[in-house]
Amino acid sequence: QVQVVESGGGLVQPGGSLKLSCAASGTIFRVYFLAWYRQAPGQQRELVASITNTGTTSYADSVKGRDNIARDGAKNTVYLQMNSLKPEDTAVYYCRLSEVGGTYWGQGNQVTVSS
């Protein structure tokens, strides 16, 4: 059984920064894709950023230039550094891990950007 646990969310003022972390534990085979998604109230879940096992990254246009995704393969951990945060970044952020045995999601972590 694989568990995915996120941390690092909270309340931040516009223009501020937050770093989200996502750690996976359990019986994990080869991880080939890690990603962060977010879902705002009344909206569909959207992909924010992703990184493959070869280090290829991709970002949503709305966060490009502000966010940075990184992974620690040895620890099965993925991070999302969010900078210059805007009120429209407010959402529940979810971590996704895809490995040979399946795809797993974290429980979600609230990020609120407000003055």
Side-chain angles (χ1 to χ4, degrees), residues 71-82:
R71 66 188 290 260
D72 183 333
K75 298 180 180 179
N76 288 318
T77 300
V78 62
Y79 307 95
L80 184 67
Q81 177 67 48
M82 303 184 292

Side-chain angles (χ1 to χ4, degrees), residues 19-31:
K19 185 175 183 177
L20 303 181
S21 299
C22 171
S25 60
T27 302
I28 299 171
F29 298 98
R30 188 173 67 87
V31 176

Side-chain angles (χ1 to χ4, degrees), residues 17-55:
S17 298
L18 276 178
K19 185 175 183 177
L20 303 181
S21 299
C22 171
S25 60
T27 302
I28 299 171
F29 298 98
R30 188 173 67 87
V31 176
Y32 59 86
F33 185 81
L34 293 160
W36 288 95
Y37 289 72
R38 67 186 181 188
Q39 187 168 18
Q43 298 187 19
Q44 291 187 335
R45 191 174 296 189
E46 63 172 351
L47 177 63
V48 176
S50 64
I51 184 167
T52 69
N53 60 321
T54 60

Side-chain angles (χ1 to χ4, degrees), residues 92-114:
V92 177
Y93 283 71
Y94 297 89
C95 173
R96 169 187 165 182
L97 178 150
S98 293
E99 53 103 9
V100 173
T103 291
Y104 306 92
W105 292 85
Q107 79 285 0
N109 210 354
Q110 179 69 46
V111 171
T112 301
V113 184
S114 174

